[in-house]
């Protein structure tokens, strides 16, 4: 008998009722009914398979508490802010929404060349939150975003259309910042005039220098009017010899933002005059050039500069008129309160645009010449109808010819595409919204249309470019897309991202990681595994396995993270790479995905040992322990230098790590349990309070524990009877024992650390499995400097909270127990689980997201030989490699008795005296001290 559906499952099922699947590339109504999601089938190559998030519920505990902090952000953040950059790019109204900023805004780092990525992460977070909690708000927000993106793609496929705003007189045309739209006037608009007046109302929305109100000509022969020059004031100029020969007029004050201002220029008889709001602000009596000197200008633009580096004008236009004479001051003043048609000047006889249009992409000329203007995009339009992005396709086009990295010009466009694609796939799978799959399929078609026509050499050059060529986990996402659509083009597309020189080197076991950007390359290997699943090519599997072994442990810090300053250094250099920019959080996220996917193919316990280490330490510790609707509060780097304070609001926000941080915090349960592909076994990988609904076996498994505050866990089976093997992970750190009972009786067999312990039986409702796994305090040494160490209690990394910026110097052998456990040297803090003090410094779990200055590593110093608190007074000698006498003694732990310890001390002393490393007299003192030490017999 199958277990009853949970409230979460019932909510999800109700939301998916009566829906019809379809995949197309046609616009879909925003109110279209969602379809039943097509569950991704597990590849045949997977010998174990994960459970969907909605089948594993988090129960109260550490992970649920951390997740709830992120759910506050998921519930509270205004998704219209995320959609602002997409709508702007498509020329759609953005309302009052303000782009998130940072990497998601035009004013952020590299001019927001990564914008759109954050919305993808947010959709994935919402999908995971909906699956994990069943709260309707998350599904509703997903559908809002998918509906908006559907409209965005439709708008991108069409010519630009008027965006209406309140004008100075009636309506006006708004040029949304980020839309790259401008007004294209017909050739001959200026008519070769020898005198001219130009008049326009503008409402600037941004203070960027050199945004043109108008620009007629090219880069040599032109006249322009800029809202702001380099000094922030309006400027008019005319030239037939380029910038160095300009004859110009400069204003005296900046135009206010988001307020209407009137600009007018007259030019006649060698004199130019600039007016602002009807007042003359500049006069130049040496302006000999007129429009006639330009001939027939090549370009006739409102809102766009002939210089591509200049920004497109952002704001609104109203009432543009051009006359073939110089209006006098009174006529200019009259334009302040009335339309030109209602003033003595009348409409411009060269051109006159009232901007009264409320739809369409053309603007009517009222001068009588019929010079209809048109709205254009500076980049034209998409090369394929499936294109969807928050910036122009020029980012992708530029990458194809780029030979050097410059993220201020091109910053990882396919990385951004990945995040959007993945978010859409997750939205479809979580809510069944077919519009999301339609958008995703279109993106796949568009990418294939671009990349399939490129030579292999071009692709290899692109993917080898640091930053610009980064594409994240796009291969994995495209493989998932192919599983849903079945389109052969989508599988072919996935293979176009192969970075052959890296994949081939790793497949051959050749370590070439030194100097590579870590997070650019880690996801490549999760993609390799998915390609192996689909193609069966062993090269992909070998590359992924070997790559993992090049990172763990050879480039891994104690908390499970990797990279310094985003890059890898030489193999086995750990102490030598510790910095304030160590352990980029995205790297931990991607190494977890890789470890997990490798385990699906090969159940090597070290994959899940690493998963536990990185999850319980870096990933949990990367999230600050306070709620915030506006910020996810996730670290970018976790510096491991002494006294480092974590920065939970890095780089103006909306970074890659904040994006992956949102995802990590809403899928903590994704690897707690796996099932054998044939249903014969249940893997319990992580010890976390949770409830598994295993429908195929008709049982639920509830795990009750306060782990890691509790050194064990209890599993209870409910439902009907089912035969399977329960495979319990015996962590590599569980050297103090791992004991299992079923219904109170000890299970035969000897659990081995770093393996899985199997319990096979026919399980019945009420069966209870109890696991005890005592923690021991241990140290882990930096591979390149054994004296630099980090503390662990079970799976928990303990960090010192101390403001010193020098490594703490600590000794731990003084009270070590016969078991070898170093914990007796620390003093527990009353009422604070997993908190201790040592030499005046408090040690606490790394996973606590505080802003305390921390010491993840310390300098191990054991100056004298001490046993059981008894000081021998003898200096602790060391070998050339740094190994001390005490290190060698305690390497023999655990000791069954004090006598066994004394025997180990005597044998070690004899060897060191014989080697000339310790004097005979001091040796005798050391042995005597061990005998006097206060250990129980």
């Amino acid at each position: 008998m199958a277990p009853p559906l949970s409230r979460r499952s019932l909510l999800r099922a109700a939301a998916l009722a009566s829906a019809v699947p379809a995949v197309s590339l046609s616009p879909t109504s925003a109110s279209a009914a969602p379809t039943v999601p097509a569950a991704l089938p597990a590849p045949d190559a997977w010998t174990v398979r994960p459970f969907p998030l909605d089948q594993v519920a988090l129960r109260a505990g550490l992970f649920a508490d951390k997740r709830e902090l992120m759910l506050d952000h998921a519930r509270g953040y205004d998704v219209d802010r995320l959609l602002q950059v997409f709508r702007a790019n498509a020329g759609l109204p953005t309302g009052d929404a303000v782009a998130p900023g940072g990497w998601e805004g035009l004013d952020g780092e590299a001019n927001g060349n990564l914008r759109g990525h954050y919305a993808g992460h947010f959709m994935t977070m919402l999908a995971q939150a909906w699956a994990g909690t069943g709260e309707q708000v998350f599904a509703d927000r997903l559908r809002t975003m998918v509906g908006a993106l559907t409209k965005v793609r439709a708008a991108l496929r069409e010519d630009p259309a008027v965006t209406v705003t309140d004008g100075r007189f009636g309506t006006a045309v708004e040029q949304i910042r980020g839309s790259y739209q401008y007004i294209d006037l017909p050739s001959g608009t200026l008519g070769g005039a020898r005198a001219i007046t130009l008049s326009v109302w503008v409402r600037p929305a941004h203070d960027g220098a050199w945004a043109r109100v108008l620009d007629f000509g090219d880069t040599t022969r032109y006249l322009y009017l800029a809202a702001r020059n380099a000094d922030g004031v309006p400027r008019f100029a005319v030239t037939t010899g380029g910038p160095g020969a300009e004859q110009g007029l400069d204003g005296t004050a900046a135009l206010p933002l988001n307020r209407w201002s009137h600009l007018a220029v007259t030019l006649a008889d060698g004199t130019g005059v600039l007016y602002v709001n009807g007042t003359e602000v500049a006069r130049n009596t040496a302006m000999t050039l007129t429009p006639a000197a330009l001939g027939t200008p090549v370009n006739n633009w409102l809102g766009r500069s002939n210089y591509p580096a200049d920004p497109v004008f952002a704001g609104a236009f109203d009432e543009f008129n051009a006359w073939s004479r110089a209006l006098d001051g009174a006529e200019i003043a009259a334009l302040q309160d009335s339309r030109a048609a209602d003033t003595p000047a009348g409409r411009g006889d060269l051109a006159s645009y009232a901007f009264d249009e409320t739809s369409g992409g053309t603007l009517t000329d009222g001068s009588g010449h019929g010079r209809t203007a048109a709205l254009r995009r500076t980049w034209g339009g998409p090369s394929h109808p499936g294109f969807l992005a928050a910036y122009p396709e020029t980012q992708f086009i530029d990458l194809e010819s780029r030979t050097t990295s410059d993220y201020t010009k091109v910053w990882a466009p396919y990385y951004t595409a990945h995040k959007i694609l993945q978010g859409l796939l997750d939205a479809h799978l979580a809510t069944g919204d077919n519009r999301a799959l339609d958008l995703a399929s279109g993106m796949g078609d568009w990418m294939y249309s671009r990349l399939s026509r490129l030579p292999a050499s071009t692709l290899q050059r692109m993917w080898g470019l640091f930053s610009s060529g980064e594409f994240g986990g796009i291969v994995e996402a495209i493989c998932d897309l192919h599983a849903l659509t079945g389109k052969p083009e989508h599988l072919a597309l996935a293979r176009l991202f192969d970075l052959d020189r890296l994949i081939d080197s790793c497949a051959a076991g050749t370590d070439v990681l030194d100097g590579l950007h870590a997070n650019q390359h880690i996801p490549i290997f999760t993609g390799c595994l998915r390609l192996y699943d689909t193609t069966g090519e062993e090269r992909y599997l070998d590359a992924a396995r070997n790559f993992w072994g090049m990172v763990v442990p050879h480039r891994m810090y104690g908390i499970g993270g990797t990279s310094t300053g985003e890059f890898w250094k030489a193999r086995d250099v750990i102490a030598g790479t510790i910095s304030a920019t160590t352990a980029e959080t995205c790297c931990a996220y991607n190494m977890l995905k890789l470890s997990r996917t490798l385990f699906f193919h090969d159940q090597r316990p070290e994959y899940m040992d690493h998963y536990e280490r990185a999850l319980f330490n870096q990933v949990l510790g990367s999230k600050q322990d306070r709620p915030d609707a506006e910020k996810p509060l996730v670290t970018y780097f976790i510096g491991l230098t002494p006294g480092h304070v974590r920065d939970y609001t890095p780089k103006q926000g909306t970074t890659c790590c904040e994006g992956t941080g949102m995802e990590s915090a809403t899928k903590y349960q994704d690897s707690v349990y796996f099932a054998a592909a044939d249903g014969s076994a249940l893997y319990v990988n992580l010890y976390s309070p949770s409830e598994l609904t295993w429908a195929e076996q008709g049982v639920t498994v509830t795990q009750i524990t306060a782990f890691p505050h509790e050194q064990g866990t209890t599993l209870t089976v409910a439902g009907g009877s089912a035969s399977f093997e329960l495979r319990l992970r015996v962590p590599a750190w569980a050297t103090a024992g791992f004991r299992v009972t079923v219904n109170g009786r000890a299970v035969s067999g000897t659990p081995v650390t770093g393996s899985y312990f199997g319990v096979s039986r026919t399980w019945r409702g009420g069966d209870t499995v109890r696991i005890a796994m005592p923690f021991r305090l241990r140290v882990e040494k930096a591979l390149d400097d054994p004296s630099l160490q980090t503390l662990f209690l079970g799976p928990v990394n303990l960090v010192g909270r101390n403001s010193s910026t020098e490594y703490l110097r600590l000794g731990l052998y003084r009270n070590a127990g016969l078991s070898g456990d170093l914990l007796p040297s620390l003093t527990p803090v009353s009422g604070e689980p997993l908190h201790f003090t040592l030499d005046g410094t408090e040690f606490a779990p790394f996973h606590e997201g505080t802003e305390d200055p921390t010491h993840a590593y310390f300098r191990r110093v054991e100056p004298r030989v001490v046993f059981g608190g008894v000081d021998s007074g003898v200096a602790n000698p060391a070998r050339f490699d740094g190994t001390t006498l005490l290190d060698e003694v305690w390497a023999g732990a655990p000791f069954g008795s004090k006598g066994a310890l004394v025997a180990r001390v005597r044998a070690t002393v004899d060897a060191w005296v014989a080697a000339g490393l310790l004097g005979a007299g001091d040796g005798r003192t050391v042995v005597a001290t061990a005998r006097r030490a206060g250990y129980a017999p």
Side-chain angles (χ1 to χ4, degrees):
M1 176 179 174
L5 285 171
S6 65
R7 173 180 175 274
R8 180 178 66 261
S9 300
L10 285 169
L11 286 168
R12 183 167 179 266
L16 303 179
S18 67
V20 180
V23 179
S24 66
L25 192 57
S26 58
T28 307
S29 167
S31 61
T35 181
V36 175
L40 283 173
D44 292 339
W46 289 5
T47 49
V48 303
R49 298 173 181 179
F51 291 95
L53 291 180
D54 63 354
Q55 293 182 25
V56 183
L58 286 181
R59 296 173 68 96
L62 176 60
F63 287 108
D65 290 346
K66 285 276 189 176
R67 182 180 69 176
E68 187 58 34
L69 295 172
M70 192 62 76
L71 292 180
D72 280 336
H73 181 63
R75 297 181 190 102
Y77 195 79
D78 181 3
V79 295
D80 282 327
R81 295 187 62 190
L82 300 169
L83 294 166
Q84 193 272 351
V85 290
F86 286 91
R87 287 168 169 154
N89 189 50
L92 294 174
T94 60
D96 296 326
V98 178
W103 291 3
E104 280 290 316
L106 285 163
D107 296 315
E109 189 172 354
N111 304 312
N113 281 346
L114 215 63
R115 59 191 183 276
H117 83 113
Y118 204 64
H121 286 298
F122 205 91
M123 285 191 288
T124 293
M125 173 179 65
L126 290 175
Q128 293 174 172
W130 163 240
T133 70
E135 286 188 39
Q136 189 64 39
V137 63
F138 302 127
D140 291 344
R141 305 193 101 204
L142 265 179
R143 294 193 180 100
T144 295
M145 294 185 73
V146 170
L149 293 176
T150 300
K151 292 180 179 178
V152 164
R153 189 182 70 177
L156 285 169
R157 294 163 66 176
E158 300 170 353
D159 291 333
V162 168
T163 299
V164 178
T165 186
D166 292 335
R168 182 65 178 80
F169 307 107
T171 61
V173 171
E174 184 173 15
Q175 303 296 82
I176 300 168
R177 186 160 184 250
S179 69
Y180 300 92
Q181 288 184 184
Y182 66 100
I183 300 170
D184 189 14
L185 307 182
S187 177
T189 295
L190 296 184
R194 297 185 179 279
I196 197 166
T197 297
L198 302 169
S199 166
V200 65
W201 284 94
V202 293
R203 188 177 66 197
H206 188 255
D207 60 2
W210 300 117
R212 302 295 203 262
V213 175
L214 57 87
D215 199 339
F216 294 76
D218 52 34
T219 57
T220 302
R221 307 172 70 87
Y222 56 80
L223 67 79
Y224 70 78
L225 177 61
R228 290 174 182 247
N229 64 8
D231 296 321
V233 298
R235 175 174 172 79
F236 172 82
V238 59
T239 182
T240 57
E246 286 184 359
Q247 299 175 3
L249 296 159
D250 293 303
T252 56
L255 299 182
L257 296 181
N258 302 311
R259 284 172 48 193
W260 286 107
S261 296
H262 183 257
L263 295 173
V265 176
T266 64
L267 187 60
D269 301 324
T271 297
V273 184
L274 173 64
Y275 297 86
V276 177
N277 294 325
T279 300
E280 179 181 322
V281 296
R283 178 179 291 265
N284 185 344
T285 59
M287 296 187 72
T288 60
L289 297 174
T290 66
L294 303 181
T296 302
V298 175
N299 301 311
N300 300 268
W301 293 334
L302 301 183
R304 179 181 180 183
S305 170
N306 276 293
Y307 290 91
D310 291 336
V312 179
F313 178 81
F317 288 110
D318 201 359
E319 278 275 305
F320 172 72
N321 285 276
W323 292 266
S324 59
R325 66 183 180 87
L327 272 60
D328 61 29
E331 289 175 306
I332 298 293
L335 295 172
Q336 306 309 297
D337 299 313
S338 303
R339 291 180 180 268
D342 299 325
T343 70
R347 293 182 183 274
D349 63 316
L350 295 177
S352 180
Y353 300 93
F355 301 124
D356 288 332
E357 290 80 5
T358 58
S359 62
T362 58
L363 303 160
T364 302
D365 172 29
S367 70
H369 295 295
R371 291 178 172 139
T372 302
L375 283 174
R376 311 276 189 214
R377 296 188 187 98
T378 61
W379 56 284
S383 64
H384 185 279
F387 175 74
L388 176 63
Y391 47 60
E393 198 173 357
T394 49
Q395 284 276 299
F396 300 89
I397 296 168
D398 191 341
L399 177 61
E400 292 169 9
S401 60
R402 180 163 290 278
T403 57
T404 58
S405 296
D406 184 350
Y407 84 130
T408 66
K409 300 292 192 299
V410 177
W411 191 7
Y414 284 97
Y415 176 96
T416 308
H418 163 240
K419 303 310 172 190
I420 300 167
L421 174 62
Q422 189 66 64
L424 291 168
L425 290 172
D426 290 336
H428 168 68
L429 290 169
T431 68
D433 193 333
N434 192 59
R435 297 170 301 174
L437 180 57
D438 183 49
L439 292 170
S441 183
M443 287 187 72
D445 295 344
W446 155 69
M447 284 187 279
Y448 182 73
S449 75
R450 286 216 68 86
L451 297 178
S452 62
R453 62 179 176 78
L454 298 177
S457 58
T458 299
L459 294 172
Q460 294 302 307
R461 172 175 48 76
M462 287 165 56
W463 309 143
L465 282 175
F466 159 60
S467 189
S468 298
E470 183 173 358
F471 53 73
I474 200 165
V475 174
E476 180 185 4
I478 294 170
C479 287
D480 287 346
L481 176 65
H482 171 254
L484 290 168
T485 67
K487 290 185 177 182
E489 296 87 352
H490 291 163
L491 178 57
L493 171 63
R495 303 192 70 167
L496 293 176
F497 288 91
D498 279 5
L499 181 56
D500 288 333
R501 68 175 182 270
L502 178 64
I503 294 171
D504 290 342
S505 293
C506 289
T510 303
D511 190 332
V512 294
L513 303 189
D514 188 2
L516 291 183
H517 183 259
N519 197 53
Q520 180 168 347
H521 295 94
I522 298 170
I524 288 175
F525 294 95
T526 308
C528 282
L529 289 172
R530 297 292 286 110
L531 283 171
Y532 167 75
D533 295 338
T534 307
T535 68
E537 289 188 27
E538 292 288 338
R539 161 182 176 254
Y540 291 124
L541 180 59
D542 292 342
R545 283 173 171 162
N546 292 341
F547 167 80
W548 190 92
M550 295 169 190
V551 177
V552 182
H554 302 289
R555 292 177 173 88
M556 183 192 73
Y557 302 101
I559 58 172
T562 187
S563 79
T564 184
E566 299 193 5
F567 288 82
W568 283 308
K569 302 301 182 184
R571 185 183 180 104
D572 294 333
V573 178
I574 301 299
T577 60
I578 287 176
S579 72
T581 57
T582 312
E584 183 185 356
T585 305
C586 274
C587 293
Y589 164 89
N590 279 310
M591 283 301 296
L592 288 184
K593 290 188 75 173
L594 178 60
S595 301
R596 180 178 191 262
T597 311
L598 279 166
F599 193 87
F600 296 155
H601 297 85
D602 183 1
Q603 289 73 63
R604 289 168 51 186
E606 54 262 42
Y607 292 142
M608 295 315 297
D609 277 339
H610 173 74
Y611 197 100
E612 178 189 64
R613 175 194 293 267
L615 180 65
F616 272 82
N617 295 292
Q618 174 158 4
V619 172
L620 283 179
S622 69
K623 173 72 183 84
Q624 189 172 16
D625 289 337
R626 68 178 180 88
D628 193 311
E630 286 300 304
K631 294 287 184 184
L633 300 179
V634 175
T635 60
Y636 190 104
F637 299 112
I638 293 189
L640 299 178
T641 50
H644 181 81
V645 177
R646 294 175 209 168
D647 179 5
Y648 298 100
T649 54
K651 288 179 169 283
Q652 303 180 64
T654 64
T655 65
C656 53
C657 292
E658 286 162 299
T660 54
M662 293 190 297
E663 294 185 32
S664 290
T666 48
K667 64 180 181 77
Y668 289 134
Q669 74 270 40
D670 75 343
S671 297
V672 176
Y673 309 100
F674 296 151
D678 61 2
S680 63
L682 177 67
Y683 288 79
V684 181
N685 305 307
L686 300 174
Y687 299 107
S688 171
S690 53
E691 181 179 281
L692 166 67
T693 300
W694 193 5
E696 290 78 6
Q697 287 285 11
V699 298
T700 60
V701 178
T702 302
Q703 186 174 175
I704 300 174
T705 181
F707 190 92
H709 295 146
E710 176 184 353
Q711 299 180 21
T713 190
T714 300
L715 299 162
T716 302
V717 179
S721 64
S723 297
F724 59 89
E725 183 181 31
L726 191 65
R727 295 180 181 170
L728 307 169
R729 187 174 66 87
V730 186
W733 50 260
T735 56
F738 188 93
R739 295 180 293 279
V740 181
T741 62
V742 175
N743 299 330
R745 294 187 176 184
V747 177
S748 61
T750 303
V752 177
T753 57
S755 70
Y756 278 78
F757 181 68
V759 182
S760 295
R761 60 184 279 131
T762 297
W763 300 91
R764 294 176 173 81
D767 282 347
T768 300
V769 179
R770 173 65 190 163
I771 305 165
M773 48 187 125
F775 295 176
R776 288 177 58 182
L777 186 71
R778 69 187 191 283
V779 297
E780 290 189 1
K781 303 174 182 178
L783 297 176
D784 52 332
D785 184 353
S787 73
L788 197 66
Q789 302 180 359
T790 185
L791 275 180
F792 279 85
L793 182 61
V796 178
N797 185 227
L798 296 178
V799 294
R801 292 179 175 171
N802 190 304
S803 61
S804 172
T805 56
E806 300 291 331
Y807 284 115
L808 301 177
R809 300 171 66 83
L810 303 174
L812 295 167
Y813 286 137
R814 69 193 73 170
N815 290 310
L818 292 176
S819 66
D821 191 352
L822 301 172
L823 191 60
S825 293
L826 276 61
T827 302
V829 176
S830 178
E832 292 284 343
L834 301 178
H835 284 239
F836 305 88
T837 59
L838 177 64
D839 293 347
T841 294
E842 181 180 8
F843 282 78
F846 189 97
H847 65 242
E848 293 184 357
T850 73
E851 293 179 297
D852 295 302
T854 61
H855 290 248
Y857 282 88
F858 64 92
R859 188 68 68 187
R860 184 71 174 273
V861 178
E862 304 280 357
R864 292 192 302 277
V865 176
V866 181
F867 292 109
V870 180
D871 192 337
S872 70
V874 175
N876 183 25
R879 289 200 180 104
F880 71 91
D881 65 356
T883 301
T884 70
L885 175 73
L886 284 174
D887 290 334
E888 188 159 321
V889 168
W890 288 105
F895 302 110
S897 64
K898 178 179 176 180
L901 168 64
V902 172
R904 173 75 177 189
V905 171
R906 183 184 301 110
T908 304
V909 164
D910 289 346
W912 282 57
V913 169
L917 298 171
L918 182 67
D922 283 344
R924 288 190 292 274
T925 300
V926 167
V927 174
T929 302
R931 290 196 185 99
R932 290 188 292 113
Y935 296 105

